[in-house]
Amino acid sequence: MPATTPIPPSIILDCDPGHDDAIAIVVAAQHTNLLGITTVAGNAPLTLTTRNALIMTDLLGIDTPVHSGAERPLVAPPRHAGYVHGASGLDGADLPEPSRPVDSNHAIDFIIDTCRNTEGVWLVPIGPLTNIALALRAAPDLAGRIAGISLMGGGTFGNRTAAAEFNLWADPEAAAMVFDYGGPLMMSGLDVTHQFQATPDRVDKVRALPGRLAELLADLLVFFSHTYTTRHDDMGGAAVHDPIAVMALTHPELFTVVRRHVVIEVWGEHTRGMTLIDQRSLIERRPPNCDMLTHVDADAAFDVIVRAIAAFSR
Ligand code: BDR
Ligand code: CA
């Protein structure tokens, strides 16, 4: 029997680059049918996350359309993560200026039109969920049209607060809408992404690749890891969160997944933005709405990243 090549999933990557978003763009460019990149305010203001996405497409030499979206969360005040990613969102490397302008400032329309015109699109949000919530609210038919949503966010512990992970904390109302949308949902939260660290030996594998892309990504990972190792007392490198939401689709064999019912806390004084994960064994617990990733084969997953970078290295 001839080996069959799995069909790459068609995805829209909704991101706020961001060091780990930049790595996710590389993996998505190599392993998916990347229909478009949409940007959202998150790690940095929208102008910067959009700029960073455009720079990444230049470095990869791809002409994937980039559309910018929401400038701020639905309700929460805009808050960024310069303490992790630097003021630019991608501090730590001498990046070039983007060579082209953004394709449009209408990411929501792009998401809606693409999901209506293409069968079986996966939405892969790896920043605050503002764009995805706005698209689902403007076009409720999307919930039944898309293949699903694979997102990075949440977990049984937080990072921005004790309870809440940054992406969901940044726009809890949007997150609540997405977790309640009713279709297939995959959640790559901190439980799995903190197992996936850019340790020095792994960063060395990137730096050993030829060419400018690898050198710049290695510089970015060094900066990103520095913020993690200096802000945590138990980490050997940055948690490379965002590519996990892509690899959950392209390399499912690398992950352990459990089915859970998950809702977003929007009211709690100390818990706003938290994923409340129903871990009970009681038979009257609510039916699962989510595939939650719990474990990753970190060495194998990092090798996927290294090979993806190598494929664009020249
Ligand atoms: C998430 O927040 C951002 O800083 C990262 O890009 C990632 O998407 C991790 O909490
Ligand atoms: Ca991100």
Side-chain angles (χ1 to χ4, degrees):
M1 291 272 288
T4 52
T5 312
I7 299 169
S10 295
I11 77 164
I12 296 173
L13 190 68
D14 185 69
C15 59
D16 63 336
H19 296 70
D20 50 333
D21 303 75
I23 303 285
I25 291 171
V26 181
V27 176
Q30 175 65 6
H31 287 291
T32 75
N33 176 23
L34 183 56
L35 301 171
I37 296 173
T38 52
T39 57
V40 67
N43 286 324
L46 183 67
T47 49
L48 292 174
T49 59
T50 304
R51 178 177 188 278
N52 294 341
L54 289 165
I55 291 170
M56 284 309 301
T57 61
D58 282 347
L59 291 173
L60 293 171
I62 58 174
D63 57 5
T64 306
V66 176
H67 299 269
S68 72
E71 224 164 11
R72 52 156 299 157
L74 298 184
V75 177
R79 304 282 289 277
H80 308 300
Y83 51 92
V84 177
H85 298 274
S88 73
L90 274 186
D91 276 16
D94 189 13
L95 297 172
E97 290 297 312
S99 70
R100 62 179 173 124
V102 69
D103 289 82
S104 88
N105 297 319
H106 304 292
I108 317 302
D109 292 338
F110 172 79
I111 292 169
I112 294 170
D113 293 345
T114 306
C115 292
R116 283 183 176 158
N117 295 331
T118 312
E119 279 299 310
V121 175
W122 277 93
L123 299 177
V124 183
I126 54 177
L129 291 164
T130 322
N131 288 343
I132 306 301
L134 287 170
L136 289 169
R137 186 165 69 183
D141 57 299
L142 252 52
R145 282 181 189 273
I146 59 175
I149 299 175
S150 175
L151 62 85
M152 190 280 133
T156 60
F157 57 95
N159 56 7
R160 188 56 185 79
T161 70
E165 179 279 329
F166 175 79
N167 289 342
L168 309 192
W169 170 88
D171 195 341
E173 282 73 18
M177 288 167 65
V178 170
F179 275 77
D180 196 35
Y181 95 101
L185 182 64
M186 301 184 75
M187 168 180 148
S188 301
L190 298 177
D191 302 80
V192 65
T193 66
H194 272 221
Q195 297 166 32
F196 192 45
Q197 297 177 18
T199 52
D201 55 317
R202 290 180 180 149
V203 177
D204 285 348
K205 288 187 180 180
V206 176
R207 196 167 299 282
L209 296 171
R212 189 173 180 218
L213 172 70
E215 184 189 346
L216 292 173
L217 289 175
D219 289 346
L220 289 174
L221 286 171
V222 167
F223 178 95
F224 193 34
S225 282
H226 182 72
T227 66
Y228 268 79
T229 54
T230 52
R231 296 178 71 245
H232 293 78
D233 53 24
D234 65 345
M235 293 188 74
V240 193
H241 310 276
D242 290 340
I244 300 261
V246 178
M247 289 191 281
L249 301 177
T250 58
H251 297 78
E253 69 282 2
L254 299 178
F255 302 99
T256 307
V257 175
V258 295
R259 301 267 309 144
R260 291 285 182 264
H261 187 271
V262 181
V263 291
I264 307 299
E265 172 60 77
V266 294
W267 298 111
E269 181 185 354
H270 302 292
T271 52
R272 184 164 152 77
M274 170 186 177
T275 43
L276 180 63
I277 302 162
D278 196 338
Q279 307 265 30
R280 295 175 296 175
S281 61
L282 284 170
I283 55 173
E284 69 262 29
R285 68 187 181 276
R286 294 178 67 185
N289 62 341
C290 179
D291 284 331
M292 180 175 113
L293 279 67
T294 58
H295 290 96
V296 57
D297 180 342
D299 284 334
F302 206 85
D303 283 346
V304 171
I305 286 176
V306 173
R307 285 198 302 274
I309 298 168
F312 290 100
S313 295
R314 45 193 162 248

